[in-house]
Amino acid sequence: MFIHNLRLGAASLRRNVLLTALMVMSIGFGVAASMVTFAVFRAVSGDPIPQKSSTLFVPLIDNRGPEYNRHGEPPSALTYTDAMALMRAHKAARQTMLFPVGLSVMPDDPHHMPFKAEGYATYSDFFTMFDVPFQYGSGWGSAQDDAREAVIVISRALNQKLFGGANSVGREITLDDRHYRIVGVTDNWDPKPRFFDIFDDKLFADPSQLYIPFTYAVAQHIDTYGNNNCGSVGKRGDSWDSWLQGECVWISPWVELQDAAQVLAYRQFLDGYAREQRDAGRFNWAPNNRLRDVREWLDYQHAVPPESRISLTLSLGFLVICLVNTVGLLLAKFMRRAPEIGVRRALGASRADIYRQFLAEAAMVGLAGGVLGLALTATGMLGLGLVFQPQIARLAQLDASLVLLTMLVAISATVIAAFYPTWRAAQVQPAWQLKSN
Amino acid sequence: MQIKPILSALRRHKAGTFLIAMQIALTLAIVCNALFIIHQRVAHLSEPTGIDEPNLFVIKSEWVGAPGTERVDAMIREDLQVLRQLPGVQDVTPSNSYPLRGGGWDDAIRLKPDQTQDSSGATIYFADEHFIDTLGLKLVAGRNFRADEIGHMDMRYKLAPPMVIVTKALADKLFPAGDAVGKTIYLVGGPATIVGEVELLQAQSVSQWASAFAYRSVIIPERLAISLGSFYIVRTRPGQLDTAMRAAGKALFAHNPRRVINEDDGILSFSEVRSRAYESDRGMAILMGVISVVLLAVTAAGIVGLTSFWVGQRRRQIGVRRALGATRRDILHYFMTENLLISGAGVVLGVVLALVMNLWMVTHFEMHRLSLAYLVGGVVILLLLGQGAVLAPALRASRVPPVEATRSV
C-alpha cells in the first residue's frame, strides 16, 4: 500500500509542474543554505580532542591586577616567571608550557629555497597529554628537558619534504644554524580548532611541523614566533634576560587533571601561589586565577568565528521561510484536488488513507528537494572560499554524514510542513464535492 | 475599491492569508538584517589606509640563523640599497608592520610619566627617513625625520626614541588644541618629542579589538633589527609594480641567500594585502547578498503559487462579477488590493521581528543598531515584491470571461 502511495505521489508531482517545481526549489535552496553554513559551523565548533577535553586545563594567573586586567580577567597566557613556577611545582599528573617558534630550514640543495618551518617549543609531556600519534620514534623524555638538549620531533609532512618519508629518527637536521637530533616523526596530527594555542591566533593555522624542548629554546634565546602581550604596567625589561623576568605574557600553559579532586587541589595550589607572590610583594591584589578545560577555554576565547554563527543563524531563518512557503504551496496543491478527495472518500477511503497518500506525496517532494539541495550544497561548498578564510573553508567537507543529514532534513522538514495541508485535505466533506458548484 | 468584500473573502482563506503574511514578515526581518550587515561590512572595508596603495608592495624577509642586532641592521641597509637599484622602484622603507597587516606592535601612550591610565592606545610603526615618502603620507605639521636621526634596536630593547611623528588622529586625541608638534608624550620606555604630524595612517589591525585606536599611529625613527626579519615596503613608479615585484625577490636572494621569503605571502602587492585583510568582511557581504536575493525569489514564488491557486478557486465568482458589470480593471485591482492588505499586515509584523532579530545580534555579535532607513527600505522592497508577484495571477484573473459564471466545476 505504501509503495502504491509513493507511486501515486510520484505521479502527482508531474501534475501542476509549476507548483511542484516551486516547492522543490524552495526546499532545495533552504536546505542547501543551512547545510553549507552548518558544515562550516560544525568544522569550527567541534571538540578538537574529545577523548581528553574534560581533563586538559589552562591555568591562568592574574599578574596585572584589577586596575589593568580586562574586565577582571587575567591575561590569556603566562609570564616566564609563572610558567617556570608551575613547572617546578609539578602539581599536576602532566604539564607543559608552549610557545610558537619559526625556524629556517636551509636545504642542502642550493636550488631549493630556504623556508620557515613553524612549530612549538614545549615540554616532553606535550606528546602524551595531547595524544600525538607517531609514525617513527616518539617524543623526548624529561631528562632531555632538564638537560636542554637539542632534540626535535618533526611532522610527517616535514619528514616527507626533507627525507622523502624515510625513517629519520637519529638523524640530524640544521635549523637556523643549530643542529638538532630527530627523536620522533609525528603522524598526521592537526586538531582543529588548535585549542592549545589560541593566544597566538593559531586556531586555524596550517599544521605544526616541528617541536623542540622549551628549555633548549629559551637557553638559545629563540624568540617567540607568536604574540607577546605586555599589558600596560609592570616590568617589561629592555634586554632578553630582563624581558624574560618581566611581566609580559607569551607562554600557553596546559595541565592534565584526572578528576574533580585533582582540579580542586590544583585551584588551591594556584591560589596559594598567588598569595605567595602577594606576600613577596610582586602582586598587591587577591588571588585571581582561572582553570578552564578545553571546551570552556574555546568558549571563553570565542573560538567559533562570529561569521560562522551569524550565517548559520540567518540560514536557519532562511530554511524556516522556505518551509512556510512550502506549507502554502502544498496547501494550494492539495486543495486543488478536493474533488478527487471527495470521490475517494465517497468510495470508502478512510481519513487515514488520505493522510497516508498526501504525506507520501510530501515525502516525494522532500526527496526531490533533497536531491536538488545536495547539488546546491556541493556547489555552495565550492564557493565557501569566497566567504570564509581559506583555512576555515578547507575544514568544511561534504561527507557521508552531511549527505545523509541533507536528505533527512529535506524529507522530514517537508513532511512536517505537510501536516497542516494534509489535515485540511482530510477534512474535505465527500458530499460537498460530489455536488456541482 | 471596496475593502470590506476583500476582507470577508480573506476570512474564507485564513490559512493562505496567514502563510503569506508570515512569509513576508520573516523575509523582511532577514533581508533587513542581511542588508544592514552588508552595509556595515562594506563601510568597514572602504575605510582608507592613507597610503598610496596602487603603487606599493611589501616584502617579508626573514633571516636564517641568529645574527645579532648590529649584523641584522647592516643587512637591512644593504637590502634597501639592492631594492633601490631595481628598475621602477621609487622608494623603499623598512618597517615592523604596515596598515591592514592585522598584527604587530600596539602600545600605550601617556602624557605624563607617572600616569597609570593610558591616554590612548596606538600602533607603533618603526621607520626610517623614507617612510613618509614611500607610503605617500601627507605631512600636515612639523617635519620628517633626518637620516642622521634614525637608530636601530632589538625587539626587547627599551622603546624610548627621542622624537616621534604621530598621526593627526592621535595628535587630536592627545592635544585637542591642535598644537601637538613640539609636545612630549610618554612611550613605555620614556619621553619622546613630537616633531611631525601626518594626515592619515591607519593602524595595522582593522579588527574589532583595535577599533578604539583605528587611526592613531606613532612613527618611531628606528629600524627594528631583529633575527626574525623585517618588512620592506616598496613604492614603485606608476605601472611598474608587477615588474618590480618579480625582480625584488631574485635581487635580494642574489645579494644574500641566507634568508626566507615565503612563496605564498612573502611578497604581496597592497591590493593582495587589502583583500586578505577584508576577506571575511567581503565574504559576509557576498553571502548576505546571495541569501537576500534567493530569499526574495522564494517568497515571490510562494505568493505567485498561492494567488494562482486562489484565482483558480474563484473563477466562477470572478465570472459572476464580470457578468454583473465589473471591468477587467476592477478584477485586477481586487487582487492587487488583496495582496497589499496581506503584505501590509506582514510588514507590520516583520518590522517587529527585524528589530527583535537585530537586538539579538547586537547582544551576541557586537552588531550595531538597525538604522531606520533599512527598515523603511525593506518595507518598500517587500510591498513592491508582493505587488510584482501578484501581478501575473491577477492579470490571469482579469482575463476570466463572464461566461465562467454559467459553468459548473
Side-chain angles (χ1 to χ4, degrees):
Chain A
M1 187 69 207
F2 182 64
I3 300 297
H4 172 69
N5 281 338
L6 285 183
R7 241 189 244 125
L8 277 178
S12 88
L13 289 186
R14 287 195 292 274
R15 247 181 306 173
N16 55 61
V17 176
L18 175 74
L19 274 186
T20 310
L22 284 182
M23 267 188 284
V24 170
M25 267 175 43
S26 137
I27 293 162
F29 275 111
V31 170
S34 316
M35 285 301 130
V36 172
T37 50
F38 173 72
V40 174
F41 184 77
R42 184 180 62 169
V44 298
S45 63
D47 186 338
I49 184 160
Q51 72 280 20
K52 284 197 148 181
S53 55
S54 57
T55 55
L56 295 171
F57 291 81
V58 181
L60 294 175
I61 293 163
D62 188 356
N63 67 323
R64 292 188 185 162
E67 204 173 339
Y68 293 103
N69 61 25
R70 279 199 185 163
H71 316 299
E73 285 288 338
S76 293
L78 291 186
T79 61
Y80 183 73
T81 308
D82 293 330
M84 290 306 100
L86 298 195
M87 287 309 290
R88 270 195 307 274
H90 216 287
K91 291 287 182 197
R94 296 189 184 122
Q95 53 247 303
T96 186
M97 299 292 152
L98 54 94
F99 66 91
V101 291
L103 306 179
S104 308
V105 185
M106 286 294 277
D108 302 330
D109 180 353
H111 296 293
H112 283 157
M113 294 296 234
F115 61 93
K116 276 275 173 191
E118 294 185 38
Y120 289 93
T122 185
Y123 279 85
S124 51
D125 278 350
F126 177 94
F127 305 98
T128 41
M129 282 173 78
F130 298 143
D131 288 347
V132 182
F134 276 86
Q135 186 188 7
Y136 305 118
S138 65
W140 60 85
S142 55
Q144 273 98 356
D145 280 332
D146 298 339
R148 299 175 188 169
E149 252 176 75
V151 289
I152 189 167
V153 167
I154 61 176
S155 73
R156 188 176 181 143
L158 186 61
N159 189 53
Q160 187 67 42
K161 205 164 172 173
L162 297 175
F163 301 102
N167 185 346
S168 57
V169 171
R171 296 181 62 173
E172 217 178 56
I173 58 171
T174 306
L175 304 162
D176 278 326
D177 303 337
R178 299 185 188 93
H179 308 294
Y180 296 83
R181 186 168 50 85
I182 298 171
V183 293
V185 177
T186 70
D187 213 329
N188 293 328
W189 180 70
D190 186 29
K192 282 285 191 285
R194 189 178 301 163
F195 63 96
F196 58 80
D197 188 21
I198 304 184
F199 176 71
D200 296 295
D201 304 324
K202 302 267 188 205
L203 276 164
F204 300 104
D206 292 334
S208 322
Q209 301 183 66
L210 49 82
Y211 306 91
I212 58 173
F214 185 105
T215 49
Y216 175 78
V218 172
Q220 291 288 319
H221 290 201
I222 295 177
D223 215 330
T224 174
Y225 209 60
N227 292 336
N228 171 54
N229 187 331
C230 297
S232 50
V233 74
K235 314 193 298 284
R236 273 192 209 189
D238 40 28
S239 66
W240 171 274
D241 287 317
S242 63
W243 168 72
L244 215 52
Q245 303 310 325
E247 294 294 344
C248 296
V249 301
W250 51 284
I251 298 167
S252 296
W254 284 92
V255 294
E256 188 171 342
L257 304 164
Q258 299 301 346
D259 54 41
Q262 285 185 14
V263 172
L264 185 66
Y266 205 84
R267 276 185 209 283
Q268 286 164 343
F269 154 68
L270 284 177
D271 288 350
Y273 172 74
R275 270 192 293 274
E276 275 170 34
Q277 295 298 308
R278 189 175 56 178
D279 296 342
R282 182 173 153 223
F283 299 164
N284 59 1
W285 48 86
N288 180 30
N289 307 319
R290 299 286 182 279
L291 190 61
R292 293 187 182 90
D293 70 12
V294 172
R295 289 190 150 282
E296 290 165 335
W297 180 236
L298 287 168
D299 212 35
Y300 168 69
Q301 291 283 2
H302 303 300
V304 179
E307 276 75 26
S308 143
R309 271 183 207 274
I310 294 177
S311 49
L312 181 65
T313 310
L314 285 173
S315 305
L316 288 177
F318 184 89
L319 179 62
V320 169
I321 296 179
C322 291
L323 287 180
V324 171
N325 193 27
T326 308
V327 175
L329 295 173
L330 280 174
L331 191 65
K333 194 170 154 68
F334 289 177
M335 294 317 285
R336 248 182 214 194
R337 288 154 58 196
E340 177 202 323
I341 300 168
V343 172
R344 287 182 69 173
R345 297 267 290 128
L347 293 176
S350 68
R351 280 209 174 132
D353 290 329
I354 303 291
Y355 268 110
R356 261 198 297 277
Q357 168 63 41
F358 282 81
L359 287 179
E361 268 182 45
M364 293 305 285
V365 172
L367 187 70
V371 171
L372 176 68
L374 263 186
L376 290 172
T377 304
T379 317
M381 288 291 195
L382 296 178
L384 269 183
L386 289 173
V387 179
F388 296 95
Q389 293 159 341
Q391 334 45 325
I392 292 179
R394 270 203 305 271
L395 294 179
Q397 281 146 355
L398 184 61
D399 52 11
S401 69
L402 195 71
V403 170
L404 203 67
L405 189 69
T406 307
M407 295 314 284
L408 199 71
V409 168
I411 295 172
S412 55
T414 316
V415 169
I416 289 169
F419 268 104
Y420 175 74
T422 308
W423 177 77
R424 282 282 301 270
Q427 296 307 309
V428 166
Q429 298 292 338
W432 277 60
Q433 297 300 330
L434 296 178
K435 282 194 299 190
S436 80
N437 270 14
Chain B
M1 188 79 237
Q2 289 273 323
I3 301 265
K4 223 173 144 76
I6 297 182
L7 288 177
S8 42
L10 282 182
R11 231 168 269 141
R12 308 223 13 210
H13 297 279
K14 281 197 201 70
T17 307
F18 173 76
L19 288 171
I20 291 184
M22 272 310 282
Q23 252 197 293
I24 297 254
L26 289 168
T27 307
L28 177 68
I30 291 207
V31 168
C32 262
N33 279 290
L35 289 178
F36 188 58
I37 291 174
I38 293 175
H39 161 81
Q40 277 189 332
R41 301 282 171 149
V42 170
H44 184 47
L45 61 81
S46 335
E47 289 164 359
T49 48
I51 64 179
D52 179 26
E53 290 181 40
N55 303 311
L56 285 173
F57 70 94
V58 182
I59 303 168
K60 179 186 183 185
S61 166
E62 302 177 84
W63 304 113
V64 173
T69 307
E70 299 306 320
R71 176 79 194 102
V72 170
D73 191 55
M75 291 195 291
I76 289 178
R77 284 191 311 235
E78 288 166 23
D79 281 353
L80 293 173
Q81 280 311 315
V82 170
L83 291 169
R84 254 180 238 298
Q85 281 151 13
L86 290 179
V89 168
Q90 188 176 322
D91 213 340
V92 188
T93 190
S95 188
N96 62 319
S97 190
Y98 47 85
L100 303 185
R101 184 191 158 211
W105 190 322
D106 300 304
D107 222 324
I109 309 294
R110 289 165 300 148
L111 290 168
K112 295 192 191 69
D114 54 354
Q115 201 175 310
T116 50
Q117 280 299 331
D118 321 336
S119 301
S120 173
T123 284
I124 305 291
Y125 286 120
F126 287 79
D128 64 2
E129 73 277 15
H130 292 276
F131 187 80
I132 289 184
D133 290 339
T134 304
L135 293 181
L137 303 178
K138 198 166 147 225
L139 208 56
V140 289
R143 62 173 181 88
N144 191 357
F145 301 130
R146 291 192 309 269
D148 60 295
E149 290 171 332
I150 308 296
H152 58 272
M153 64 179 268
D154 199 313
M155 188 147 52
R156 306 293 172 218
Y157 289 11
K158 198 188 281 270
L159 180 66
M163 67 200 66
V164 293
I165 293 174
V166 297
T167 57
K168 188 171 184 308
L170 182 61
D172 290 348
K173 164 77 181 140
L174 299 174
F175 305 101
D179 52 353
V181 173
K183 292 274 194 309
T184 301
I185 58 170
Y186 285 82
L187 300 166
V188 57
T193 308
I194 298 178
V195 296
E197 197 179 309
V198 292
E199 188 172 46
L200 194 69
L201 173 60
Q202 200 171 22
Q204 60 209 351
S205 172
V206 287
S207 302
Q208 188 77 28
W209 59 266
S211 58
F213 51 90
Y215 284 94
R216 299 179 195 162
S217 316
V218 178
I219 305 169
I220 308 279
E222 301 258 14
R223 282 180 297 268
L224 191 64
I226 52 176
S227 308
L228 283 179
S230 177
F231 291 106
Y232 302 130
I233 306 171
V234 185
R235 187 181 191 180
T236 60
R237 294 191 185 84
Q240 306 272 299
L241 187 76
D242 294 345
T243 327
M245 275 177 73
R246 271 195 301 274
K250 288 194 193 83
L252 288 176
F253 271 105
H255 176 73
N256 177 355
R258 286 180 52 80
R259 70 170 82 238
V260 174
I261 296 179
N262 264 344
E263 274 172 44
D264 56 347
D265 64 350
I267 300 184
L268 294 174
S269 71
F270 223 90
S271 62
E272 286 170 310
V273 170
R274 172 168 279 280
S275 75
R276 282 167 186 242
Y278 287 117
E279 222 160 23
S280 64
D281 291 289
R282 212 184 37 248
M284 261 324 250
I286 294 173
L287 183 74
M288 293 298 130
V290 170
I291 282 195
S292 303
V293 169
V294 175
L295 198 49
L296 291 171
V298 163
T299 303
I303 295 175
V304 171
L306 263 179
T307 317
S308 304
F309 166 62
W310 283 343
V311 171
Q313 269 192 323
R314 301 181 198 165
R315 285 177 76 84
R316 206 157 154 264
Q317 288 90 323
I318 297 169
V320 170
R321 282 192 62 198
R322 298 272 289 120
L324 292 176
T327 61
R328 281 186 174 188
R329 178 180 293 250
D330 288 335
I331 304 295
L332 183 68
H333 273 208
Y334 175 90
F335 281 99
M336 301 293 274
T337 314
E338 180 184 73
N339 172 272
L340 197 61
L341 288 177
I342 300 173
S343 310
V347 294
V348 170
L349 180 62
V351 165
V352 176
L353 280 179
L355 289 172
V356 169
M357 194 165 162
N358 171 251
L359 201 63
W360 184 79
M361 288 202 184
V362 167
T363 47
H364 284 79
F365 307 118
E366 297 174 329
M367 198 75 83
H368 293 275
R369 285 289 166 83
L370 192 60
S371 69
L372 201 61
Y374 279 82
L375 270 182
V376 173
V379 167
V380 171
I381 288 176
L382 276 159
L383 289 180
L384 287 176
L385 180 90
Q387 294 289 286
V390 85
L391 196 59
L395 281 171
R396 214 168 332 121
S398 71
R399 283 194 290 267
V400 171
V403 74
E404 282 281 338
T406 62
R407 291 193 186 151
S408 64
V409 185

